[in-house]
């Protein structure tokens, strides 16, 4: 059984595919909700299934620190620990070490750092990261990579690319669980030649899938799109491509159009907890006073549990009153919107109508269609 | 259709009954979860139904301040505002004015106070409280009462009893919604003659139900039991009796044994959010380190969603990590325990086995059976 099957090459670089894991199939392109600490914040597995979640992401850095990989392994791995029987992807911890941890000291072997939770000393290396991810037991796991900040000089990014390639090789060698698919992560910042080098390095190692890291980290949208346009052609067509950390409707659509199959982001659940609903017409800050007596659902026509059962007036009250149900209701809605958006995109790829859909999408935002570098 | 039907007089003063409301029947004795701000904290209506919630309580003081009765009325009342189609009971706001509000000034007409939220000035009186409760639209509503603190002098309590009787009369006169059952509230602290006077005053006004207020406010358990024993005989058998603010297994059992039909308390959901599970064997502080690798459910043998799907190890992790799902899971469990406990009590009343059940209950706690003053 092939891990990834490319079912259709659609308009531009968009594609339809299926990923097969020990915990079920995933129709791509797919958005993956983030369960950083073995919980997609506020939600149960049943609620995720109801809105169509096929796979979730969890964070190795966080789980390594708390509760620790052994506690998760003791429960039989992440699936049984958190009661989620569909697919899971874990990241390598690399990005979090570089963005969250304190007092990092990086060398060619790995990274020493202090926990952002309690200042305790820790070390991650390609081997340690893979070892932790084997204990966590996700279906798809990531190579340990170095993520330079944005902006960074070309020399810094080049060094990170070289280290990431060496670390990918070491991780691949160390990895022994055959039921897990280990992805390589392409780095290279916004430098075309470095992206090309990174992609070629990793592709030569023949991973079952490739992630595109180091984007959506503060660079302008156009630069991200351009980077995708010159990175994706260096990735093999028969392997899934995963753009890390992307989860807004515009980025998802442009990512798919540019050949990406998988996405994840905390954005939809994070803004939900702050009172912002994602809709096709733009964001709605539900906690604003203007909605105090508004008896419409968050988004008219939406079929999610929240919109079928609650008004803006009620949800606004829950936010003002600090009620946890508010966070749940908007999390459900926002993830539902992203999942239905991706399902619609898959339909448009199937029907060869993605270009039209894309043009209408940008028209509705009142913005020009982003340039595409073929 | 009678509002209350006494179906069986069981052992001691325990009784089985049914309350009929425009939003369904309630089998008594019953525990009512509290949705202070139009939300039983962390939970959806569907989750409450799944664990067997027949009726919830919501707080007039809180809803009057936020979002305001007109916002709720604009949605068609509390049931549609919060999407709960079973029965609702609202309190009068009296207890909260006396326990939460700032700078209270009480006179014979009512109470002026400042909001605990923003310090704004407000006034509640018997008429205003009933007016607000009519806008909220609960099935069962409460007379506006004066709740003296515990301990209070006999003279203070006597004054509160007299005022509560006068206010009950005014509220009853003002109340016009025929689809709502307005209860009188018996005060009198721990003074037998004042409880008797209060009960007689209210019973002479012929309310469809009677609440017992001013208990479970810090007095010793024995004194609460004793107060029930001399208060209940002054209440009519054909009307439901509601002991306000009681929600621990021991108090529920003793309350039922002493002739109470209805109970409410924030206790089960409040302790849940702090990481404490209620079980038949006593409390479990799930967030303690001792449960870090414990793969048992919160309570073995429990049939609730939480215990069927999650381990102590996972829930402990969620609490340590500050995950909201933890609060949800223990809220479900704790309310499930109280509802199944009450369902079991109803079975024991039916089968004339409540006395045995009560003795076993206290034996399991390692405590003597509380004295009963017949």
């Amino acid at each position: 059984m092939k891990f990834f099957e490319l079912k259709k090459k659609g308009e531009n670089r968009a594609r339809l595919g299926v990923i097969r894991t020990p915990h079920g199939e995933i129709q791509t392109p797919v958005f993956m909700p983030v369960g950083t600490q073995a919980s997609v914040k506020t939600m149960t597995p049943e609620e995720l299934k109801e809105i169509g979640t096929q796979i979730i992401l969890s964070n190795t850095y966080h789980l390594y620190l708390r509760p620790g990989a052994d506690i998760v392994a003791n429960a039989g791995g992440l699936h049984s620990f958190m009661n989620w029987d569909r697919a899971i992807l874990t990241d390598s911890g690399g990005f979090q070490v570089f963005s969250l941890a304190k007092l990092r000291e990086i060398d060619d072997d790995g990274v020493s750092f202090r926990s952002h939770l309690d200042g305790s000393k820790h070390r991650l290396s390609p081997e340690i990261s893979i070892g932790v991810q084997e204990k966590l037991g996700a279906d798809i796991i990531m190579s340990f990579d170095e993520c330079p900040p944005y902006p960074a000089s070309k020399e810094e990014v080049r060094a990170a690319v070289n280290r990431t390639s060496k670390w990918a090789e070491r991780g691949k060698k160390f990895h022994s669980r055959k039921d897990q698919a280990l992805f390589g992560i392409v780095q290279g910042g916004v430098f075309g030649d470095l992206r090309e080098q990174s992609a070629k390095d990793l592709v030569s190692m023949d991973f079952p899938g490739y992630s595109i890291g180091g984007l959506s980290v503060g660079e302008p949208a156009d630069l991200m799109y351009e980077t995708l346009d010159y990175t994706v052609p260096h990735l093999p067509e028969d392997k899934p491509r995963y753009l890390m950390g992307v989860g807004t409707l515009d980025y998802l659509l442009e990512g798919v159009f540019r050949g990406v199959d998988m996405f994840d982001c905390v954005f939809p659940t994070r803004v939900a907890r702050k009172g912002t609903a994602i809709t096709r017409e733009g964001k709605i800050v539900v906690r604003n006073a203007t909605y105090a007596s508004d008896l419409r659902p968050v988004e008219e026509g939406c079929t999610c549990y929240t919109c079928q059962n609650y008004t803006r007036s009620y949800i606004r009250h829950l936010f003002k009153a600090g009620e946890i149900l508010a966070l749940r209701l908007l999390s459900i809605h926002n993830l539902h919107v992203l999942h239905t958006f991706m399902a619609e995109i898959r339909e448009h790829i199937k029907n060869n109508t993605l270009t039209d859909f894309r043009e209408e999408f940008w028209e509705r935002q009142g913005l020009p269609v982003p340039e595409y570098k073929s």
Side-chain angles (χ1 to χ4, degrees), chain A:
Chain A
M1 210 173 62
K2 267 176 82 172
F3 171 67
F4 179 71
E5 188 184 324
L6 181 61
K7 289 163 69 181
K8 171 170 180 165
K9 291 170 66 172
E11 291 163 271
N12 200 48
R13 291 205 174 111
R15 28 205 255 135
L16 276 183
V18 58
I19 295 172
R20 299 195 178 89
T21 78
H23 292 89
E25 292 192 350
I26 300 151
Q27 305 301 318
T28 63
V30 65
F31 175 76
M32 308 182 284
V34 179
T36 299
Q37 305 183 113
S39 169
V40 176
K41 287 191 192 303
T42 82
M43 294 180 68
T44 62
E46 289 76 12
E47 286 164 345
L48 290 167
K49 288 181 182 179
E50 190 182 320
I51 58 169
T53 302
Q54 307 183 72
I55 172 172
I56 62 165
L57 178 146
S58 201
N59 290 112
T60 291
Y61 168 84
H62 289 86
L63 295 175
Y64 159 79
L65 290 179
R66 185 175 60 194
D70 288 332
I71 296 276
V72 177
N74 170 65
L78 207 40
H79 292 86
S80 53
F81 184 60
M82 65 181 292
N83 190 36
W84 174 252
D85 59 9
R86 293 191 180 172
I88 302 178
L89 181 152
T90 45
D91 62 8
S92 68
F95 181 76
Q96 281 73 27
V97 166
F98 290 99
S99 60
L100 280 181
K102 315 272 182 211
L103 300 171
R104 284 179 299 280
E105 283 175 29
I106 183 166
D107 55 60
D108 284 340
D109 178 64
V111 193
S112 293
F113 61 93
R114 287 184 181 273
S115 161
H116 73 292
L117 298 173
D118 61 7
S120 54
K121 278 189 81 168
H122 298 274
R123 186 168 176 81
L124 279 178
S125 70
E127 292 79 10
I128 297 170
S129 168
I130 299 295
V132 169
Q133 291 186 81
E134 288 187 331
K135 283 185 181 175
L136 298 177
D139 304 282
I140 301 174
I141 68 174
M142 294 295 127
S143 296
F144 190 65
D145 59 335
E146 181 181 345
C147 313
Y150 177 85
S153 72
K154 191 158 183 180
E155 283 323 295
E156 288 175 285
V157 177
R158 188 192 309 277
V161 163
N162 289 332
R163 196 169 260 157
T164 294
S165 295
K166 282 177 193 146
W167 286 1
E169 195 156 19
R170 279 167 52 191
K172 192 165 191 296
K173 195 168 161 193
F174 184 86
H175 181 232
S176 67
R177 275 187 68 160
K178 298 299 170 210
D179 57 343
Q180 296 181 308
L182 170 63
F183 280 29
I185 302 181
V186 178
Q187 290 290 350
V190 293
F191 303 102
D193 54 342
L194 294 181
R195 284 280 168 188
E196 181 177 346
Q197 183 204 318
S198 181
K200 286 183 173 168
D201 283 358
L202 294 165
V203 171
S204 74
M205 301 176 207
D206 193 25
F207 285 96
Y210 297 92
S211 306
I212 302 167
L215 287 180
S216 194
V217 290
E219 78 284 357
D222 285 350
L223 205 48
M224 186 183 87
Y225 298 153
E226 190 185 321
T227 307
L228 284 180
D229 290 340
Y230 54 62
T231 303
V232 168
H234 299 291
L235 298 175
E237 286 203 326
D238 61 345
K239 303 288 171 69
R241 303 149 181 173
Y242 159 32
L243 177 55
M244 308 179 89
V246 159
T248 55
L249 298 183
D250 48 357
Y251 279 22
L252 291 172
L253 178 55
E254 291 303 313
V256 169
F257 191 72
R258 289 164 161 80
V260 175
D261 307 298
M262 305 163 69
F263 304 86
D264 81 286
C265 196
V266 296
F267 173 78
T269 43
R270 182 170 290 169
V271 299
R273 296 196 305 280
K274 296 188 188 296
T276 296
I278 300 168
T279 81
R280 295 295 179 93
E281 314 298 325
K283 292 175 201 164
I284 292 184
V285 184
V286 183
R287 52 181 312 143
N288 281 354
T290 176
Y291 303 115
S293 300
D294 191 335
L295 298 181
R296 289 174 296 173
V298 168
E299 183 171 11
E300 288 185 283
C302 178
T303 59
C304 82
Y305 168 76
T306 302
C307 290
Q308 293 299 306
N309 291 289
Y310 303 92
T311 62
R312 295 174 182 183
S313 171
Y314 180 60
I315 298 173
R316 193 250 172 190
H317 160 66
L318 294 179
F319 270 106
K320 295 299 287 182
E323 287 289 345
I324 281 171
L325 184 57
L327 318 185
R328 293 181 58 184
L329 294 180
L330 280 202
S331 296
I332 289 172
H333 171 78
N334 284 358
L335 287 179
H336 171 91
V337 168
L338 262 64
H339 285 326
T340 53
F341 188 72
M342 295 307 277
E344 214 170 308
I345 283 178
R346 291 194 297 270
E347 276 302 299
H348 284 296
I349 299 174
K350 195 187 283 179
N351 302 330
N352 300 310
T353 50
L354 188 66
T355 304
D356 293 348
F357 177 74
R358 179 173 174 244
E359 279 168 13
E360 284 159 23
F361 174 88
W362 285 107
E363 200 177 328
R364 209 159 49 232
Q365 320 292 315
L367 293 169
V369 180
E371 209 179 325
Y372 173 68
K373 305 235 164 41
S374 59

mmCIF file of all heavy atoms in Angstrom, chain A residues 219-240:
data_model
loop_
_atom_site.group_PDB
_atom_site.id
_atom_site.type_symbol
_atom_site.label_atom_id
_atom_site.label_comp_id
_atom_site.label_asym_id
_atom_site.label_seq_id
_atom_site.Cartn_x
_atom_site.Cartn_y
_atom_site.Cartn_z
ATOM 1 N N GLU A 219 7.485 37.073 6.780
ATOM 2 C CA GLU A 219 7.786 37.631 5.453
ATOM 3 C C GLU A 219 6.484 38.065 4.764
ATOM 4 O O GLU A 219 5.424 37.547 5.070
ATOM 5 C CB GLU A 219 8.538 36.596 4.598
ATOM 6 C CG GLU A 219 7.694 35.499 3.979
ATOM 7 C CD GLU A 219 7.254 34.411 4.956
ATOM 8 O OE1 GLU A 219 7.648 34.466 6.142
ATOM 9 O OE2 GLU A 219 6.493 33.520 4.544
ATOM 10 N N PRO A 220 6.560 39.016 3.822
ATOM 11 C CA PRO A 220 5.358 39.429 3.101
ATOM 12 C C PRO A 220 4.756 38.254 2.326
ATOM 13 O O PRO A 220 5.474 37.336 1.918
ATOM 14 C CB PRO A 220 5.866 40.503 2.124
ATOM 15 C CG PRO A 220 7.227 40.880 2.588
ATOM 16 C CD PRO A 220 7.770 39.737 3.368
ATOM 17 N N ALA A 221 3.441 38.313 2.124
ATOM 18 C CA ALA A 221 2.741 37.221 1.442
ATOM 19 C C ALA A 221 3.344 36.947 0.064
ATOM 20 O O ALA A 221 3.582 35.789 -0.307
ATOM 21 C CB ALA A 221 1.254 37.558 1.310
ATOM 22 N N ASP A 222 3.616 38.014 -0.689
ATOM 23 C CA ASP A 222 4.137 37.830 -2.045
ATOM 24 C C ASP A 222 5.439 37.049 -2.051
ATOM 25 O O ASP A 222 5.695 36.234 -2.939
ATOM 26 C CB ASP A 222 4.370 39.195 -2.709
ATOM 27 C CG ASP A 222 3.050 39.826 -3.138
ATOM 28 O OD1 ASP A 222 2.020 39.112 -3.092
ATOM 29 O OD2 ASP A 222 3.055 41.020 -3.498
ATOM 30 N N LEU A 223 6.246 37.316 -1.023
ATOM 31 C CA LEU A 223 7.531 36.643 -0.940
ATOM 32 C C LEU A 223 7.337 35.164 -0.610
ATOM 33 O O LEU A 223 8.075 34.295 -1.092
ATOM 34 C CB LEU A 223 8.378 37.346 0.129
ATOM 35 C CG LEU A 223 9.885 37.241 0.021
ATOM 36 C CD1 LEU A 223 10.379 37.536 -1.387
ATOM 37 C CD2 LEU A 223 10.549 38.184 1.025
ATOM 38 N N MET A 224 6.340 34.869 0.211
ATOM 39 C CA MET A 224 6.042 33.475 0.506
ATOM 40 C C MET A 224 5.557 32.766 -0.759
ATOM 41 O O MET A 224 6.009 31.662 -1.083
ATOM 42 C CB MET A 224 4.983 33.342 1.589
ATOM 43 C CG MET A 224 4.785 31.884 1.981
ATOM 44 S SD MET A 224 3.486 31.638 3.195
ATOM 45 C CE MET A 224 2.074 31.483 2.118
ATOM 46 N N TYR A 225 4.650 33.411 -1.478
ATOM 47 C CA TYR A 225 4.134 32.791 -2.702
ATOM 48 C C TYR A 225 5.277 32.526 -3.682
ATOM 49 O O TYR A 225 5.379 31.451 -4.280
ATOM 50 C CB TYR A 225 3.101 33.718 -3.367
ATOM 51 C CG TYR A 225 1.875 34.003 -2.516
ATOM 52 C CD1 TYR A 225 1.150 35.194 -2.690
ATOM 53 C CD2 TYR A 225 1.424 33.096 -1.559
ATOM 54 C CE1 TYR A 225 0.015 35.460 -1.925
ATOM 55 C CE2 TYR A 225 0.296 33.373 -0.787
ATOM 56 C CZ TYR A 225 -0.404 34.549 -0.973
ATOM 57 O OH TYR A 225 -1.507 34.824 -0.231
ATOM 58 N N GLU A 226 6.140 33.528 -3.850
ATOM 59 C CA GLU A 226 7.261 33.403 -4.780
ATOM 60 C C GLU A 226 8.171 32.250 -4.359
ATOM 61 O O GLU A 226 8.623 31.460 -5.196
ATOM 62 C CB GLU A 226 8.030 34.735 -4.777
ATOM 63 C CG GLU A 226 9.068 34.857 -5.855
ATOM 64 C CD GLU A 226 9.867 36.165 -5.704
ATOM 65 O OE1 GLU A 226 9.261 37.209 -5.359
ATOM 66 O OE2 GLU A 226 11.093 36.114 -5.889
ATOM 67 N N THR A 227 8.423 32.158 -3.042
ATOM 68 C CA THR A 227 9.293 31.093 -2.547
ATOM 69 C C THR A 227 8.694 29.718 -2.849
ATOM 70 O O THR A 227 9.396 28.786 -3.256
ATOM 71 C CB THR A 227 9.534 31.271 -1.038
ATOM 72 O OG1 THR A 227 10.010 32.593 -0.796
ATOM 73 C CG2 THR A 227 10.553 30.259 -0.518
ATOM 74 N N LEU A 228 7.382 29.605 -2.652
ATOM 75 C CA LEU A 228 6.719 28.337 -3.001
ATOM 76 C C LEU A 228 6.896 28.041 -4.485
ATOM 77 O O LEU A 228 7.176 26.901 -4.875
ATOM 78 C CB LEU A 228 5.227 28.412 -2.680
ATOM 79 C CG LEU A 228 4.820 28.301 -1.221
ATOM 80 C CD1 LEU A 228 3.301 28.397 -1.102
ATOM 81 C CD2 LEU A 228 5.325 26.986 -0.609
ATOM 82 N N ASP A 229 6.773 29.080 -5.300
ATOM 83 C CA ASP A 229 6.810 28.869 -6.749
ATOM 84 C C ASP A 229 8.155 28.345 -7.227
ATOM 85 O O ASP A 229 8.216 27.593 -8.195
ATOM 86 C CB ASP A 229 6.447 30.167 -7.486
ATOM 87 C CG ASP A 229 4.977 30.519 -7.309
ATOM 88 O OD1 ASP A 229 4.192 29.606 -6.972
ATOM 89 O OD2 ASP A 229 4.616 31.695 -7.483
ATOM 90 N N TYR A 230 9.241 28.729 -6.553
ATOM 91 C CA TYR A 230 10.516 28.163 -7.012
ATOM 92 C C TYR A 230 10.990 26.984 -6.179
ATOM 93 O O TYR A 230 11.948 26.324 -6.516
ATOM 94 C CB TYR A 230 11.612 29.228 -7.179
ATOM 95 C CG TYR A 230 11.916 30.124 -5.998
ATOM 96 C CD1 TYR A 230 12.398 29.605 -4.795
ATOM 97 C CD2 TYR A 230 11.783 31.508 -6.117
ATOM 98 C CE1 TYR A 230 12.707 30.436 -3.740
ATOM 99 C CE2 TYR A 230 12.089 32.340 -5.056
ATOM 100 C CZ TYR A 230 12.544 31.805 -3.864
ATOM 101 O OH TYR A 230 12.846 32.624 -2.821
ATOM 102 N N THR A 231 10.283 26.682 -5.075
ATOM 103 C CA THR A 231 10.662 25.510 -4.273
ATOM 104 C C THR A 231 9.957 24.242 -4.756
ATOM 105 O O THR A 231 10.585 23.186 -4.926
ATOM 106 C CB THR A 231 10.330 25.751 -2.784
ATOM 107 O OG1 THR A 231 10.995 26.922 -2.340
ATOM 108 C CG2 THR A 231 10.759 24.554 -1.937
ATOM 109 N N VAL A 232 8.652 24.357 -4.959
ATOM 110 C CA VAL A 232 7.848 23.166 -5.255
ATOM 111 C C VAL A 232 8.353 22.379 -6.471
ATOM 112 O O VAL A 232 8.371 21.137 -6.436
ATOM 113 C CB VAL A 232 6.353 23.557 -5.401
ATOM 114 C CG1 VAL A 232 5.527 22.426 -6.003
ATOM 115 C CG2 VAL A 232 5.788 23.954 -4.035
ATOM 116 N N PRO A 233 8.792 23.052 -7.562
ATOM 117 C CA PRO A 233 9.249 22.269 -8.720
ATOM 118 C C PRO A 233 10.436 21.347 -8.415
ATOM 119 O O PRO A 233 10.689 20.407 -9.169
ATOM 120 C CB PRO A 233 9.660 23.352 -9.734
ATOM 121 C CG PRO A 233 8.887 24.558 -9.329
ATOM 122 C CD PRO A 233 8.778 24.496 -7.846
ATOM 123 N N HIS A 234 11.151 21.608 -7.313
ATOM 124 C CA HIS A 234 12.288 20.752 -6.962
ATOM 125 C C HIS A 234 11.870 19.559 -6.116
ATOM 126 O O HIS A 234 12.716 18.773 -5.686
ATOM 127 C CB HIS A 234 13.355 21.577 -6.244
ATOM 128 C CG HIS A 234 13.891 22.689 -7.090
ATOM 129 N ND1 HIS A 234 14.668 22.456 -8.205
ATOM 130 C CD2 HIS A 234 13.728 24.026 -7.019
ATOM 131 C CE1 HIS A 234 14.979 23.612 -8.774
ATOM 132 N NE2 HIS A 234 14.416 24.586 -8.071
ATOM 133 N N LEU A 235 10.569 19.456 -5.849
ATOM 134 C CA LEU A 235 10.087 18.331 -5.030
ATOM 135 C C LEU A 235 9.414 17.317 -5.948
ATOM 136 O O LEU A 235 8.761 17.685 -6.926
ATOM 137 C CB LEU A 235 9.095 18.844 -3.980
ATOM 138 C CG LEU A 235 9.699 19.844 -2.977
ATOM 139 C CD1 LEU A 235 8.611 20.396 -2.051
ATOM 140 C CD2 LEU A 235 10.821 19.189 -2.173
ATOM 141 N N PRO A 236 9.578 16.032 -5.637
ATOM 142 C CA PRO A 236 9.022 14.988 -6.518
ATOM 143 C C PRO A 236 7.495 15.000 -6.495
ATOM 144 O O PRO A 236 6.877 15.286 -5.478
ATOM 145 C CB PRO A 236 9.577 13.694 -5.915
ATOM 146 C CG PRO A 236 9.937 14.027 -4.517
ATOM 147 C CD PRO A 236 10.294 15.471 -4.481
ATOM 148 N N GLU A 237 6.918 14.670 -7.626
ATOM 149 C CA GLU A 237 5.456 14.710 -7.735
ATOM 150 C C GLU A 237 4.768 13.599 -6.974
ATOM 151 O O GLU A 237 3.606 13.739 -6.598
ATOM 152 C CB GLU A 237 5.051 14.632 -9.217
ATOM 153 C CG GLU A 237 5.309 15.926 -9.945
ATOM 154 C CD GLU A 237 4.449 16.059 -11.191
ATOM 155 O OE1 GLU A 237 4.184 15.020 -11.824
ATOM 156 O OE2 GLU A 237 4.061 17.192 -11.511
ATOM 157 N N ASP A 238 5.475 12.522 -6.737
ATOM 158 C CA ASP A 238 4.818 11.368 -6.109
ATOM 159 C C ASP A 238 4.969 11.359 -4.580
ATOM 160 O O ASP A 238 4.739 10.343 -3.940
ATOM 161 C CB ASP A 238 5.369 10.067 -6.706
ATOM 162 C CG ASP A 238 6.872 9.925 -6.472
ATOM 163 O OD1 ASP A 238 7.525 10.937 -6.119
ATOM 164 O OD2 ASP A 238 7.392 8.806 -6.628
ATOM 165 N N LYS A 239 5.358 12.489 -4.011
ATOM 166 C CA LYS A 239 5.471 12.586 -2.545
ATOM 167 C C LYS A 239 4.651 13.784 -2.067
ATOM 168 O O LYS A 239 4.607 14.819 -2.745
ATOM 169 C CB LYS A 239 6.943 12.797 -2.135
ATOM 170 C CG LYS A 239 7.901 11.724 -2.632
ATOM 171 C CD LYS A 239 7.716 10.410 -1.898
ATOM 172 C CE LYS A 239 8.516 9.274 -2.520
ATOM 173 N NZ LYS A 239 9.968 9.404 -2.357
ATOM 174 N N PRO A 240 4.023 13.686 -0.888
ATOM 175 C CA PRO A 240 3.243 14.816 -0.381
ATOM 176 C C PRO A 240 4.147 15.972 0.051
ATOM 177 O O PRO A 240 5.290 15.759 0.475
ATOM 178 C CB PRO A 240 2.494 14.230 0.820
ATOM 179 C CG PRO A 240 3.297 13.055 1.246
ATOM 180 C CD PRO A 240 3.974 12.515 0.014
#
